[in-house]
Structures are given as structure tokens and as C-alpha cells.
Amino acid sequence: MTSPEENMKSIEAKVVVLGSQGVGKTSVVIRYVGGMFSKAVSPTIGASFFTYKMTLDGYRVKLQVWDTAGQERFRSMAPMYYRKANAAMLVYDITSLESFYDIKDWVKELRKNVDTPIAMCLLGNKSDLDSGRKVSTAEAAEYAASIEALFFETSALKNLGIEDAFLQVSKQLLKMYETYPNSGMGLLSSPQESTDIFSHTTQNVKLPSRTDSEKPPSQGGSNCGC
Amino acid sequence: MAAHGEADQLGTTSDSDQGELNETDAPGKSEDAILFASDDFDNLTYEGLAEEAQKPVQKGTIHAIVRQSSNDVDSRSNTPNNIDHDSSEVSAGEESVEETAEQAQITPRADNTEVPDTVDASRIEIEEEDAYNPEWKNQKKHVFILSASGKPIYSRHGKEDKLVTIMGVMQALVSFVQDAKDQLRSIVAGQHKFVFLVRDHLILVGVTRGMDSTQQMLLQLMYVYNQVISVLTHSSLNKIFKQRRNYDLRRLLTGAEKFFDNLLNLMDTEPGLLLTAVRCLPLDSSVREIIAQSIVQNAKLKDLVFALIIVKNQLVTLVRMKKYYLHPMDLHLIINLVNASESFKDAESWTPICLPKFDASGFVQAHVSYLDNDCEVCLLLLSVDRDSFFILSEAKDKIKARLIRYNALQAINASIKRTSYSTQQCGIPDLRHFLYKARSTAQYTSPELEAPYTEPAEQERLFGMYLYLHHRIHTSGRPLKILFHVGEYETLLGWVTQGFELYAVFGPLITKTSAIHAVNKLLRWIKREEDRLFILNSVTF
Ligand SMILES: Nc1nc2c(ncn2[C@@H]2O[C@H](COP(=O)(O)OP(=O)(O)OP(=O)(O)O)[C@@H](O)[C@H]2O)c(=O)[nH]1
Ligand SMILES: [Mg+2]
């Protein structure tokens, strides 16, 4: 989509959401992207893909959010998502110590397997369940500081902290972009978009599209200029 | 229960004593089948299974596709998109795994936190609650999965970890017979049949007091086994148990229980699994053609093997890579995945699935999305390229746009609303219900369930009659072509030919002559409707 505001720069960033089963990853993402909370959210199978658009400090920012499944059998799929991510949201449940310890495994794994800059943000979800709290705010904050991650306690149920968390992550992404505008850190996986991760899409830098459809149905000015 | 003890009249040949049945052309027949046509039920024998277990799993298909596409001169600058590439990173854990990815993506994490082999006293005490609980005992059909060492993995009813003793007994029985170089197949005890299937490191046990025959139970256990493979792949399963015989597989199957539950429920209500055939959503063939073309035009992508649309457990269309066919058993697993995964309704999803008949050694990646707001029309794009999500996502948008432009989505929705068809539409007064399977295309058709089969108990009874009829006509000792069975409440006619299988249920008073007359008429009706009820030509990329 070409923009009317010609002068605005656009960036596209990938955000991966990681954490144990049932900590509320999907609920957090749906709260942010869809603005609601559903009690009936079901366990994620594989990974779900969401997008979110906003304008921030003179940029149009598009977040591509991968909400991964916490079930053990999908654990080995995770590298597929975090290898290309610009930011990782690490979610635990404040009422589960184990889910907090799992974060440490995730951080270790990210350190080992990701060599591009990645913004990290620790989320202690279900903050509404304070009576069942097992992870203290201070301990989590200290840990977040030690890994240089942002930290928020959130509640998808009560809509607390989530806006702020994504906003601060986006700001950090802008900062990263301004620091390394041309570093080829990670390519987007779609060949149509394989410019640098933070591409200036004002000009719609897109590679020629694959040799698929003879006639792409011209939907809303589809721009695969082949 | 379905009639017992009433006089059957059997015909071993069709012509002499049933002169009027005319076996001309099987409606729904096609040379150009979309699905793999196979007679799994007839071929399902313990000998066959043993043989199958002998031969190493060919890790052929996915490999071949990947290799072929990386040979293609290709504008995509991506490195050879073999799945291998990713997988070594995948086992990012402690073990270094020198296996190709498609063989094993799942590696048990080598921590030692796993549930120990407890059979301590407290456990047994709890266990008595389940096994001696009358409600549990009264369940009509049980299915258990345990490891070869007797560790509980799954139980359809009750909690598997409260059934440690029962599972131990089953394991003991199996291994006792194995020690004598023999194989335990089934036990009949009073009203109950116990059927055993031992494959790879798993023991599967089915217990029924319903109409299911031993062979039919075996087929169901095969589905359950395939469901395990579908979640883990055959290679990982083997590898895991080779590394640790005592591994607690529940850990890797967390969250997959609902696939087993759902599959077993489908098996009790959906005749397609028994028939290894799939039902198509009735649609004008011109509409179906538009749908298939929308897919072909917009998703002709190198690593895309199958693209299909599923609505309410029915197939709308299937486009496949040339050379590769989808097996109806695999298709049922796909349907089960969609059916049991509410999360697909929240967003576009990307998930691995192994199709055991297609390639048991590896995963394909499924791009899953719903095309309508009511989340009924589900599009699945199955690719062997793990990195193709965005390409497929774009293809999906284009497919959807074209379906809307040509009113095809509307036509699908209209067909959903209309329901399938009523038995009355066939114009045969005494006919209550039927199942018709076209063997060459592995598809079947069947009318809506109507009075007297509106209540669940009656539907179950009807399904029991089909099981009975199916069993009788396929009994391996005495393969029948025609079976006429007069029961207390209805009369059944089963007829199997080269081209089709027909199971028809009539009112109790119909005579054999009228039933035969009716069946001939029914076949003519199906023939007239075949374009709408079946997918007769296969579309490839
Ligand atoms: N009280 C409370 N419950 C929550 C909150 N967020 C999520 N839940 C509940 O926690 C359960 C799991 O939520 P999901 O969003 O499915 O968790 P997930 O992390 O996506 O789980 P997987 O997809 O299986 O990895 C659901 O029952 C939610 O309703 C929260 O902020 N407060
Ligand atoms: Mg989730």
C-alpha cells in the first residue's frame, strides 16, 4: 500500500512472543491487536500471525507479530520465528515460578542462536491475580535489568501494561533502526520484502515477484510490479 | 441394538439369485481421482502390519520434492530450501543431532525433569478411583495408548495416570504373548472385545462393547497410531524411544490429547473414517471449477504440495502437485486438526503436520486460514518449505479475493446453509438412509440424518447397523457381494462391487425385490447428481 503521506518513513519489524504454555501470550496479543479479552482463547497450534500498524515519532510502524505455541512439541519450531525477529516479548505468568524460570532458558537460547540485534521485553502477565503471585516484581525487574530487557507487568484480562509494553518496544525498535539504518540485520523472509529489515517502504522497495500468477487479481492496487 | 439373530439372506453372486441388480457404471467413478484410492479396510491385516513395520520408513516424498525444487533453476536467491538446513539448529538443545530435519524436528530435551517411573502406593490408590468408577466402566468404547514398557500415554476416558495398573496389565499380556514368539490380537470377554495393536514402541488397545468388529477396531487403532505420527513423525517417535525406552511421551503430546479425543468422536459418528473415504460439500461443478482455478492461478508455488478447502468436515476442493496424491486417511487427520483447533479461528496460523501416508518421516508446514467471517471455510496450504509463510499468506489473499469476485465464497456459504440433501429427494419411499462410496475416487455421499434418526441414541443405533453391515460384507473369511438383512426395526441391504460400496437402510417391511428395485433407482439418482456430490476431476498445479 502506498501512502498518502509521502514524507513519512515506514518501518516493518518482526516481533516474536515466547513463553511457556498458558502464560497468556495469545491473550496479550489479542488484547493489543484486537482490543479485547476472550476467556475462551484456546492453546495455540504452531504459531499465529498478527499485524499491527501505528504511527510513532514520525514513522509508520508495522509490527508483524508471531505468537508462538508454548506446548512442548512446538518448542523446536521456535528458532524459525526468533531467528528473524527484531524484538522478543518474553512472557511468564506471575503466579507460576516455573514459567519465570523458563524465561531464563529462552534467553540462553536466544543468546546462543541470534546474532543480530534483538530488543527484549520481559512481561509478567496475569498481574490481576496478585493474591496468587509467586514471582515478585522486584526479582523480575532485577532480572530484566541484568539481561538489558524492558520489563512490564501486564494483565490481558484487565488491560494493564500491554499498550505501554508494545509502545516502549516500538520506540526501542525505532532507536535500533536509527542506530543501524543500513545494517543488513536479518532479512525478511518474504522475497517480496527482502530489503533490509527496516526498509524505507515509502519507495516500496520490492523485488520482482515470483513467477506465479499470470494475472494477479488487482486487489487494492497490489504492487508486485512485474 | 442392531438386529441380531434374524434371518439373513446372503447372495454370493450378484446375477443368479439377485438377477435384477444391475451393476453397470459406478456413479462417482473417475479415472482422474483426486485422492489415493485404496481399500485399506480389506488390506488391514496383522500380517500386513508386521510387514509394514519391517520395512524402513521411506523418507522419500518430502525429500524428493525438496530435492527437485532445489534443482530447479530458480530466481529465488534463497539458499536451497531444504528442511535439513533448519533442523540442525532446531535441536538447539544439548544434543547435537546429525539428522536431517525432515526426519526429526522433535528431540526430547535432555533434562532430567521428566516424570519418574512411579507406581507408588498413592498412585495406585487414586487409580482405583478411575478403574472402579462405574461411570468409567460403563463407557462404551475405551482406547488406550501406552509405551512398550507399560507407561501410560493416553486414555480416552479417565486420566491416564490414574490407570497405571490397568495399563500395566495390558503391557504384561502383550509381552507375555510376545515372549512366546506370538502376537496378541484380540480377546473377547463377555460383551467386551479387546483389540491390540503393537507398533514401534507403542501399544494401542481398544475396548468396545458396541457393534464394532475386531477388524474395525483395528482400523480405528491405526487411525489413532497415525494421529500420534501426525503429531511427532515416525522418525522422532523411534528416535525418542531408542534413546530412552522409558521416556514419558505425554510430555511431547501435551495439548494433543484433544486431537485423540476428537478423532475418536469423529470415528463414532462420521462414516468416512470407516469407509476410508471423504465426503464432499455439494456444489455445482462449475463453481467447484472456479474455486480450483482460483487456487491454481494464485498458489502455483514451487514447494506447495496440496491446497485444499474444508468446510464442516467436508472437502470443497483439493489441488495437488502432479505425481502426489493425498490419502483419505491423511485427509481425515487434516480434517481432525482443523476440527479440533479453535485457535485457527483467531489468526492465520502456521503449523507443522506429518501426513503418515504421504511421508511418515517428516513434517509438512500448513498455512491455515479461514476465508469467511463465520470461520467455516478453511483454506489449507501445505508446503515443504518452512520459510514460505509470507508467500502463502499472499497467495491466500489473492485466492480469497478471487473467490469473492466470482461469488464462489457465497456459493459455498449457500451450500452450507442448505444442508446436504434429504433422503426424500432421491424419490424412494421406503429408503431411510444410505452410504454410498465410489471406490475409485475414495469419496462417499450420504443424506442428512432425519427422522427416525434425529436423536443421538438413534443415530448411534444407525451407525451400529452400518458397522454391522460393513463388517458382514467385508468378513475376510467369506467376502460377500450382497447382503440382505431383515432386522426388527429396519431392513438393511449392503452391496459391494468393483466400483462402489453401498449400504442402505429401509423400513422393516420392504421385500427383497422392492429393495433391489429401490437400490437400482438410487444408483440412477446418484449418477444424475454425481457432478454435484463428487469431485470427478483432479486439478493439479
Ligand atoms: N486472570 C488472567 N488470566 C489470563 C490472563 N491472560 C491469559 N489468561 C488466561 O490464561 C489462559 C491461557 O491463555 P493463553 O492466551 O491461551 O496462553 P498462551 O500463552 O497463548 O498459551 P499457549 O498458546 O498454549 O502457549 C487462558 O485461560 C486465559 O484466559 C490475564 O491477564 N489474567
Ligand atoms: Mg497461545
Side-chain angles (χ1 to χ4, degrees):
Chain A
M1 269 162 280
T2 348
S3 75
E5 310 106 306
E6 283 298 321
N7 296 326
M8 236 184 190
K9 284 184 184 170
S10 295
I11 68 166
E12 250 175 39
K14 287 187 197 283
V15 179
V16 65
V17 185
L18 302 169
S20 311
Q21 194 183 336
V23 296
K25 298 179 292 300
T26 304
S27 302
V28 165
V29 173
I30 288 184
R31 168 60 85 185
Y32 184 62
V33 174
M36 53 181 196
F37 179 80
S38 148
K39 279 213 180 67
V41 60
S42 15
T44 307
I45 303 298
S48 306
F49 181 72
F50 296 85
T51 55
Y52 189 82
K53 289 179 190 159
M54 66 177 117
T55 52
L56 183 63
D57 299 344
Y59 285 93
R60 274 182 294 117
V61 180
K62 183 174 171 197
L63 298 181
Q64 301 191 329
V65 182
W66 277 111
D67 170 27
T68 64
Q71 287 170 17
E72 178 72 19
R73 67 196 163 102
F74 295 115
R75 173 86 194 206
S76 52
M77 307 296 300
M80 220 161 102
Y81 305 107
Y82 65 63
R83 273 194 295 116
K84 290 165 193 151
N86 310 108
M89 305 290 246
L90 303 163
V91 188
Y92 67 93
D93 170 350
I94 65 152
T95 69
S96 154
L97 207 51
E98 208 182 331
S99 75
F100 181 60
Y101 293 148
D102 283 347
I103 298 292
K104 304 187 177 179
D105 289 343
W106 281 117
V107 171
K108 243 192 277 168
E109 193 173 325
L110 291 178
R111 288 260 158 83
K112 196 167 140 193
N113 297 325
V114 181
D115 39 21
T116 52
I118 184 165
M120 288 199 283
C121 178
L122 182 67
L123 296 187
N125 190 41
K126 307 199 187 177
S127 64
D128 54 289
L129 301 177
D130 200 52
S131 56
R133 174 188 288 275
K134 296 278 158 47
V135 185
S136 78
T137 309
E139 185 186 355
E142 189 184 329
Y143 176 67
S146 77
I147 57 168
E148 291 175 11
L150 296 165
F151 170 59
F152 299 87
E153 286 197 343
T154 58
S155 166
L157 177 67
K158 295 274 167 67
N159 195 16
L160 299 173
I162 295 173
E163 284 292 324
D164 203 19
F166 276 93
L167 183 67
Q168 298 305 325
V169 166
S170 306
K171 287 198 165 160
Q172 182 135 354
L173 287 167
L174 285 189
K175 226 188 293 166
M176 276 166 65
Y177 167 65
E178 285 168 350
T179 324
Y180 323 94
N182 296 315
S183 78
M185 36 179 174
L187 294 177
L188 294 172
S189 74
S190 162
Q192 283 84 352
E193 295 161 14
S194 45
T195 43
D196 279 359
I197 206 178
F198 293 129
S199 52
H200 291 265
T201 32
T202 14
Q203 295 182 287
N204 267 306
V205 192
K206 298 224 165 181
L207 293 186
S209 100
R210 306 169 42 72
T211 59
D212 43 13
S213 44
E214 297 90 274
K215 252 197 207 160
S218 49
Q219 245 272 326
S222 109
N223 44 16
C224 45
C226 34
Chain B
M1 283 305 85
H4 267 299
E6 292 96 16
D8 287 354
Q9 301 180 33
L10 312 172
T12 32
T13 58
S14 62
D15 295 325
S16 56
D17 52 341
Q18 318 287 342
E20 294 172 61
L21 276 179
N22 33 37
E23 181 184 338
T24 43
D25 204 8
K29 178 171 167 239
S30 167
E31 304 295 317
D32 188 19
I34 50 159
L35 293 170
F36 206 87
S38 71
D39 289 303
D40 284 272
F41 189 79
D42 295 320
N43 300 333
L44 191 65
T45 60
Y46 279 99
E47 290 75 19
L49 289 176
E51 254 167 53
E52 211 179 299
Q54 292 300 316
K55 59 176 196 251
V57 174
Q58 81 303 5
K59 62 163 206 178
T61 319
I62 294 178
H63 210 64
I65 296 171
V66 171
R67 203 173 41 227
Q68 190 195 346
S69 16
S70 48
N71 286 345
D72 288 351
V73 188
D74 170 36
S75 57
R76 252 167 94 193
S77 58
N78 274 349
T79 39
N81 52 74
N82 51 2
I83 326 182
D84 304 29
H85 169 75
D86 271 333
S87 74
S88 35
E89 298 167 53
V90 160
S91 36
E94 285 74 345
E95 301 153 89
S96 79
V97 183
E98 272 300 297
E99 292 213 35
T100 52
E102 73 258 38
Q103 271 185 300
Q105 294 186 329
I106 295 181
T107 347
R109 277 199 287 163
D111 50 3
N112 292 318
T113 53
E114 82 178 82
V115 190
D117 229 343
T118 42
V119 188
D120 59 38
S122 62
R123 271 278 174 87
I124 291 178
E125 209 176 294
I126 312 169
E127 180 218 334
E128 308 208 328
E129 281 170 30
D130 261 353
Y132 292 91
N133 165 341
E135 200 189 320
W136 186 88
K137 279 171 108 175
N138 265 332
Q139 296 290 349
K140 204 158 182 182
K141 192 186 284 174
H142 285 275
V143 173
F144 307 97
I145 310 176
L146 44 147
S147 72
S149 60
K151 223 173 191 153
I153 296 172
Y154 169 81
S155 167
R156 183 183 191 184
H157 305 289
K159 287 280 298 158
E160 72 288 336
D161 55 0
K162 294 185 180 174
L163 297 165
V164 177
T165 315
I166 277 212
M167 302 237 192
V169 171
M170 292 173 182
Q171 191 268 340
L173 284 170
V174 167
S175 67
F176 180 74
V177 177
Q178 261 170 358
D179 286 346
K181 298 268 173 297
D182 214 335
Q183 198 183 18
L184 181 58
R185 296 177 181 186
S186 63
I187 300 173
V188 178
Q191 280 192 312
H192 289 90
K193 279 187 205 85
F194 295 72
V195 179
F196 296 80
L197 172 65
V198 180
R199 295 215 72 178
D200 302 318
H201 304 260
L202 300 180
I203 300 173
L204 296 98
V205 185
V207 182
T208 180
R209 54 180 180 83
M211 296 302 289
D212 318 65
S213 69
T214 305
Q215 181 83 352
Q216 286 164 348
M217 283 305 288
L218 185 60
L219 179 72
Q220 295 175 35
L221 295 179
M222 276 305 290
Y223 272 107
V224 173
Y225 169 79
N226 281 351
Q227 180 67 63
V228 177
I229 298 299
S230 177
V231 169
L232 297 177
T233 78
H234 184 263
S235 330
S236 323
L237 183 67
N238 267 334
K239 194 171 138 204
I240 288 164
F241 281 114
K242 248 181 225 149
Q243 280 175 359
R244 253 179 306 164
R245 239 178 79 80
N246 239 338
Y247 187 78
D248 187 355
L249 199 62
R250 279 180 303 167
R251 188 189 166 114
L252 280 179
L253 292 179
T254 318
E257 307 88 352
K258 66 179 173 191
F259 295 136
F260 297 112
D261 293 343
N262 198 72
L263 181 71
L264 289 165
N265 291 340
L266 272 181
M267 230 134 37
D268 284 344
T269 50
E270 162 60 58
L273 288 98
L274 172 69
L275 299 174
T276 49
V278 65
R279 188 210 300 250
C280 301
L281 182 79
L283 274 182
D284 281 346
S285 57
S286 59
V287 175
R288 216 185 296 272
E289 185 60 27
I290 288 171
I291 299 171
Q293 284 312 320
S294 303
I295 293 178
V296 172
Q297 289 180 21
N298 295 302
K300 200 175 167 65
L301 304 167
K302 201 175 55 167
D303 295 306
L304 187 62
V305 194
F306 299 113
L308 55 158
I309 295 180
I310 289 169
V311 168
K312 292 202 144 106
N313 298 342
Q314 299 167 72
L315 186 63
V316 173
T317 193
L318 167 64
V319 181
R320 58 181 178 81
M321 207 181 238
K322 269 191 205 84
K323 287 207 295 203
Y324 298 105
Y325 291 85
L326 193 54
H327 191 286
M329 279 180 110
D330 284 347
L331 183 48
H332 283 301
L333 293 177
I334 295 174
I335 290 174
N336 189 46
L337 171 76
V338 172
N339 202 299
S341 305
E342 281 296 306
S343 78
F344 294 158
K345 296 181 178 170
D346 294 334
E348 271 178 78
S349 304
W350 186 232
T351 185
I353 175 176
C354 170
L355 302 173
K357 294 279 186 181
F358 174 67
D359 187 344
S361 68
F363 287 116
V364 296
Q365 278 297 133
H367 177 283
V368 190
S369 59
Y370 282 93
L371 300 178
D372 61 331
N373 294 334
D374 295 340
C375 291
E376 290 194 295
V377 184
C378 184
L379 172 72
L380 293 115
L381 304 171
L382 306 181
S383 168
V384 297
D385 180 1
R386 291 175 67 181
D387 288 327
S388 58
F389 176 86
F390 290 99
I391 301 166
L392 297 180
S393 177
E394 202 170 301
K396 177 219 102 180
D397 289 340
K398 292 184 193 162
I399 292 168
K400 181 174 172 181
R402 193 172 189 274
L403 292 183
I404 292 172
R405 191 142 40 91
Y406 286 89
N407 292 326
L409 212 47
Q410 215 177 333
I412 294 173
N413 277 316
S415 177
I416 299 172
K417 298 247 159 55
R418 236 187 348 257
T419 67
S420 182
Y421 56 92
S422 153
T423 313
Q424 280 180 5
Q425 276 167 261
C426 312
I428 300 164
D430 256 343
L431 183 66
R432 288 191 180 170
H433 198 257
F434 68 89
L435 307 175
Y436 172 90
K437 170 184 172 185
R439 293 173 81 166
S440 60
T441 52
Q443 297 169 37
Y444 85 99
T445 182
S446 155
E448 295 287 321
L449 289 164
E450 296 160 319
Y453 309 115
T454 44
E455 294 301 310
E458 284 300 302
Q459 293 177 355
E460 196 182 327
R461 199 174 61 81
L462 176 68
F463 200 80
M465 288 190 281
Y466 282 132
L467 285 171
Y468 172 76
L469 197 53
H470 178 269
H471 162 64
R472 288 294 307 273
I473 215 151
H474 286 276
T475 311
S476 31
R478 200 166 44 144
L480 301 171
K481 292 187 75 180
I482 295 162
L483 176 72
F484 186 70
H485 173 95
V486 184
E488 199 176 340
Y489 303 111
E490 38 274 283
T491 294
L492 313 177
L493 182 86
W495 184 16
V496 174
T497 72
Q498 284 282 314
F500 63 81
E501 293 176 25
L502 176 65
Y503 308 90
V505 177
F506 295 95
L509 300 176
I510 196 165
T511 62
K512 194 157 111 187
T513 324
S514 342
I516 287 172
H517 188 70
V519 159
N520 285 329
K521 195 168 165 196
L522 176 60
L523 290 175
R524 285 196 297 276
W525 183 85
I526 299 173
K527 182 75 193 165
R528 271 202 307 279
E529 300 287 321
E530 68 176 1
D531 280 343
R532 209 166 57 85
L533 301 178
F534 298 99
I535 303 180
L536 295 174
N537 50 5
S538 140
V539 183
T540 57
F541 288 118

